[in-house]
């Protein structure tokens, strides 16, 4: 048994050093290329409208606010300046979302920075801000020095750029919320689970979360004004912090590489974020640091792939911090079934014949 485990770990490490590192290097190169174009467009936006200041800065070889959705798809979060006194309301009526409501008795003049985006009922409208930003980006695309290789993606309220006909980058206006924690995530951490420990919990909660102006799939089909003004909750930095240490990052990197190579399927049932979410759940199931020792890499990967199959078969993948939010919502059932079959094939292959990783 131990020999079989060691053999699997050996092949997984080989896979990581060859395939995963090559994927990382290729994506890093793409990011540099894409960020040059995006920075140029955002510079033009800033000239027209100083409230939208680019926050796309490179630090320690990574760009703050940039998420890799797939090797050809990226999201850049554009942090806006904080905007005065709003009440943050997430009462659970809008799963995965919150609204920003003007504090009672506040004069609108105080809010002069974003005053025209405040609705009659006192909400700061995510949709209105995004709509204004979209207009500015469209104008900037025509003026920027990369105008020959970049164009806006039409037929969406999101701000999306297609670059060199190869890459799609979504630019999402957002507010960073530090030092507070949303009520809809108040159940975390679960009291009976020793992971991640009080110090890490304090760090994660201090890190806070982001509020993004983007279409929220959980609200699809609902048309009330509060919903169209709602902001989407995002916990990217908190999740990154949770997955530090042991073989967690390596495990996630292998999962992303397997997804890119074998689970990029019609209907797009799976993305990198599903993999990241399942790594967090695996950390809860295996709370001891020794469970994430390099020698356990095969067990952890196997556990996550089996959990993924289970989620696909049940057609439900709860968000880690917001379990009422289903990350498979809106995905075609046939696409989820197909992904379950492919994942099962992959898991069986890796487990019964680790050497097959050389071809995967």
């Amino acid at each position: 048994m131990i020999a079989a485990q060691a053999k699997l770990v050996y092949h997984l490490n080989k896979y990581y050093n060859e395939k995963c590192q090559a994927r990382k290097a290729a994506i890093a190169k793409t990011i540099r290329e894409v960020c040059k174009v995006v920075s140029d467009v955002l510079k033009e936006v800033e000239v027209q409208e100083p409230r939208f200041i680019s926050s796309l800065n490179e630090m320690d070889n990574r760009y703050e606010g940039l998420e890799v959705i797939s090797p050809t798809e990226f999201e850049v979060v554009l942090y806006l300046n904080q905007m005065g006194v709003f009440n943050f309301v997430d009462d659970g009526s809008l799963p995965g979302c919150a609204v920003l409501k003007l504090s009672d008795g506040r004069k609108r003049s105080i809010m002069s920075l974003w005053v025209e985006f405040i609705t009659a009922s006192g909400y700061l409208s995510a949709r209105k801000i995004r709509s204004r930003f979209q207009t500015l980006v469209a104008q900037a695309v025509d003026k920027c020095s990369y105008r020959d290789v970049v164009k806006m993606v039409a037929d969406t309220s999101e701000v999306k750029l297609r670059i060199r006909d190869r890459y799609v980058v979504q630019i999402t206006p957002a507010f960073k919320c530090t030092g507070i924690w949303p009520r809809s995530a108040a159940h975390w951490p679960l009291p009976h689970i020793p992971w991640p420990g009080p110090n890490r919990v304090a760090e994660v909660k201090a890190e806070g979360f982001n509020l993004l102006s983007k279409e929220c799939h959980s609200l699809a089909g609902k048309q009330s004004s509060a919903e169209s003004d709602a902001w989407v909750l995002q916990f990217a930095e908190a999740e990154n912090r949770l997955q530090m240490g042991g073989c967690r990052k390596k495990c996630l990197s292998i999962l992303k590489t397997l997804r890119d190579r074998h689970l990029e399927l019609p209907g797009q049932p799976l993305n990198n974020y599903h993999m990241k979410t399942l790594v967090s759940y695996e950390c809860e199931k295996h709370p001891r640091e020794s469970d994430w020792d390099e020698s356990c890499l095969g067990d952890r990967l196997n556990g996550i792939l089996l959990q993924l199959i289970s989620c696909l078969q049940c057609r439900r993948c709860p968000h880690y911090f917001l379990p009422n939010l289903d990350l498979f919502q809106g995905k075609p059932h046939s696409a989820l079934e197909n992904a379950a079959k492919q994942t099962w094939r992959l898991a069986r292959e890796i487990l019964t014949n680790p050497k097959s990783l050389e071809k995967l």
Side-chain angles (χ1 to χ4, degrees), residues 27 30 66 96 151 195 197 212 239 265 347:
I27 288 176
T30 301
L66 183 131
K151 50 178 179 283
W195 182 81
L212 307 185
E239 287 155 350
L265 302 167

Side-chain angles (χ1 to χ4, degrees), residues 42-150:
L42 290 177
K43 251 190 229 112
E44 283 296 334
V45 168
E46 201 180 316
V47 169
Q48 301 170 59
E49 172 57 275
R51 286 180 299 184
F52 292 101
I53 299 168
S54 173
S55 53
L56 187 63
N57 301 316
E58 192 177 2
M59 279 168 63
D60 306 329
N61 282 335
R62 62 184 287 264
Y63 285 88
E64 193 196 3
L66 183 131
E67 292 287 311
V68 178
I69 295 159
S70 80
T72 57
E73 239 184 308
F74 305 90
E75 180 171 21
V76 169
V77 173
L78 182 82
Y79 293 110
L80 305 174
N81 280 332
Q82 294 296 27
M83 50 335 164
V85 188
F86 277 92
N87 288 329
F88 169 77
V89 184
D90 69 325
D91 53 12
S93 61
L94 310 171
C97 298
V99 289
L100 291 169
K101 191 158 182 20
L102 203 53
S103 297
D104 295 337
R106 292 266 159 193
K107 291 276 185 289
R108 273 155 204 251
S109 59
I110 298 176
M111 305 310 307
S112 55
L113 186 59
W114 304 106
V115 69
E116 72 267 39
F117 304 113
I118 297 170
T119 63
S121 42
Y123 292 108
L124 182 68
S125 169
R127 191 190 47 184
K128 283 184 175 180
I129 286 184
R130 186 166 73 248
S131 172
R132 171 79 181 126
F133 182 57
Q134 192 176 40
T135 306
L136 292 166
V137 172
Q139 290 165 0
V141 163
D142 288 339
K143 289 183 183 162
C144 79
S145 47
Y146 290 97
R147 55 186 169 276
D148 300 339
V149 297
V150 61

